[in-house]
């Protein structure tokens, strides 16, 4: 005759097995190994630890970027050396809004990829995913391909400790940055932190100099500092006319410039972004596509 205790003993393993099976079904399956040769550009999704291919990158052709010739030549040469397996620097593109910082990174990548097919991939990581950088680098480290990690609009707010992860990756960790990875970032701030943050650190720290130096030193991890400044009127005209010629927008130069000036005045600034927005409006009025 089976006792109550015997029944409990025999049912316990069954119950544990059912619980284990339920937990396994609830757990997400491990992410498949990414095919790093399947595309020339990827986005990193930290939540799922996934690299998602980007079939077509939203970018501007390199010759259309006006007013940034020195920055263009410097970044292009650095990227070419990197693609060739030679030493290259991390790059920080900082300065005025809308002056082509992120456009330059994407255009340089496209140019070098055309010159050296299959050698170089662009991987975009979002600012909020910076703490997951070590995991991303582990995926890229073993690849024979070379990667430009790209973070657009990088900056840090008060009490944001994510900058420590970036510092370790750029220069100071035990493993360091993999030889097949270089990091490009854009920011409106040269030191990646606001002046208010710097002043606050200086006024509240026990040792103000050391506290400020710890955060400002992040930008020192970038071997290239490329500054972007507000453009003058002639550069703005060159941007507008370059776009108009490229897309076949038929309008006399005097009228084109007059309308471009009026457009910039309504926006309160002159920049590459404002020039492109004007061209989109103009193309729409002329019934032309910007393919």
């Amino acid at each position: 005759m089976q006792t109550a205790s015997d029944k409990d003993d025999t049912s316990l393993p069954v119950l544990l097995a059912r619980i284990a099976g339920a937990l396994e079904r609830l757990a997400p399956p491990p992410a498949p190994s990414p095919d790093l040769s399947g595309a020339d550009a990827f986005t990193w999704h930290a939540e799922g630890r996934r690299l998602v291919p980007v079939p077509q990158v939203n970018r501007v052709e390199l010759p259309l970027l006006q007013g940034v010739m020195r920055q263009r030549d410097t970044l292009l040469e650095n990227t070419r050396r990197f693609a060739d397996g030679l030493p290259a620097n991390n790059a920080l593109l900082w300065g005025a809004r809308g002056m082509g910082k992120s456009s330059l990174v994407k255009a340089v990548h496209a140019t070098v990829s055309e010159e050296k097919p299959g050698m170089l991939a662009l991987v975009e990581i979002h600012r909020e995913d910076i703490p997951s950088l070590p995991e991303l680098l582990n995926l890229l480290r073993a690849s024979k391909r070379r990667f430009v990690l790209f973070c657009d609009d990088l900056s840090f707010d008060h009490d944001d400790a994510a900058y420590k992860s970036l510092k370790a990756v750029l220069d100071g960790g035990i493993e360091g940055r993999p030889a097949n990875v270089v990091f490009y970032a854009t920011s409106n701030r040269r030191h990646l932190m606001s002046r208010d943050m710097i002043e606050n650190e200086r006024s509240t720290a026990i040792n103000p100099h050391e506290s400020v130096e710890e955060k400002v030193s992040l930008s020192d991890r970038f071997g290239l500092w490329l500054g972007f400044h507000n453009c003058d009127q002639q550069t703005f005209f060159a941007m507008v006319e370059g776009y108009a010629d490229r897309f076949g927008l038929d309008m006399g130069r005097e009228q084109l410039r007059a309308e471009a000036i009026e457009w910039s005045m309504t926006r309160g600034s002159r920049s590459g972004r404002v020039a492109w927005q004007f061209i989109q409006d103009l193309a729409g009025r002329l019934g032309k596509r910007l393919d």
Side-chain angles (χ1 to χ4, degrees):
M1 180 176 180
Q2 189 181 40
T3 65
S5 61
D6 291 336
K7 186 176 181 181
D8 290 341
D9 288 341
T10 57
S11 63
L12 182 59
V14 176
L15 179 60
L16 291 176
R18 290 174 59 189
I19 293 174
L23 291 175
E24 191 166 329
R25 288 192 296 272
L26 288 174
S33 298
D35 179 9
L36 297 178
S37 63
D40 285 332
F42 301 85
T43 56
W44 170 244
H45 293 253
E47 185 175 346
R49 301 306 189 257
R50 296 180 298 125
L51 280 168
V52 178
V54 179
Q56 184 173 355
V57 177
N58 178 29
R59 59 188 168 213
V60 175
E61 297 170 8
L62 192 61
L64 292 178
L65 296 176
Q66 299 292 324
V68 291
M69 280 59 173
R70 181 186 62 81
Q71 298 91 326
R72 177 200 65 194
D73 293 344
T74 302
L75 192 66
L76 184 58
E77 179 60 25
N78 190 69
T79 309
R80 281 173 171 157
R81 289 200 303 263
F82 176 67
D84 286 334
L86 298 172
N89 275 304
N90 302 309
L92 175 63
L93 290 72
W94 66 276
R97 300 189 306 271
M99 281 304 297
K101 298 184 293 294
S102 60
S103 295
L104 181 58
V105 172
K106 292 182 285 187
V108 162
H109 166 257
T111 299
V112 176
S113 293
E114 289 178 4
E115 295 173 352
K116 308 174 190 298
M119 290 295 296
L120 188 67
L122 183 69
V123 178
E124 183 175 25
I125 180 170
H126 298 298
R127 151 73 189 84
E128 58 271 18
D129 293 333
I130 288 295
S132 70
L133 257 177
E135 295 174 71
L136 173 57
L137 293 183
N138 284 336
L139 290 177
L140 304 180
R141 191 183 300 271
S143 176
K144 295 181 180 179
R145 202 172 190 188
R146 305 184 75 78
F147 300 91
V148 173
L149 290 191
F150 170 49
C151 185
D152 192 23
D153 197 20
L154 179 64
S155 62
F156 297 97
D157 298 322
H158 186 59
D159 294 331
D160 188 344
Y163 74 93
K164 294 182 179 179
S165 299
L166 183 56
K167 279 177 65 175
V169 165
L170 291 179
D171 203 25
I174 294 177
E175 291 183 301
R177 173 170 56 90
N180 65 331
V181 173
V182 73
F183 192 89
Y184 289 175
T186 69
S187 178
N188 294 332
R189 303 168 180 170
R190 183 174 183 178
H191 291 298
L192 303 176
M193 53 191 295
S194 66
R195 184 176 298 275
D196 290 343
M197 286 180 62
I198 295 176
E199 294 302 327
N200 184 65
E201 291 289 338
R202 183 176 286 115
S203 63
T204 60
I206 296 176
N207 189 327
H209 178 73
E210 289 184 359
S211 180
V212 172
E213 282 297 313
E214 180 188 6
K215 292 190 175 180
V216 172
S217 67
L218 173 59
S219 58
D220 291 339
R221 265 53 178 191
F222 294 89
L224 290 182
W225 284 7
L226 302 177
F228 290 69
H229 309 286
N230 291 318
C231 67
D232 57 25
Q233 185 162 283
Q234 289 305 312
T235 302
F236 183 67
F237 286 155
M239 294 172 178
V240 169
E241 291 168 4
Y243 283 133
D245 292 341
R246 169 64 178 81
F247 296 110
L249 303 182
D250 188 16
M251 178 175 284
R253 282 292 187 260
E254 289 188 9
Q255 183 180 355
L256 181 68
R257 290 188 172 193
E259 292 192 15
I261 291 174
E262 182 179 358
W263 181 272
S264 68
M265 291 177 65
T266 64
R267 298 302 306 272
S269 66
R270 292 187 296 259
S271 69
R273 181 178 297 144
V274 171
W276 176 243
Q277 291 167 345
F278 167 69
I279 288 297
Q280 290 185 96
D281 179 78
L282 178 62
R285 287 188 282 118
L286 295 177
K288 293 290 187 69
R289 298 178 62 87
L290 297 178
D291 295 331

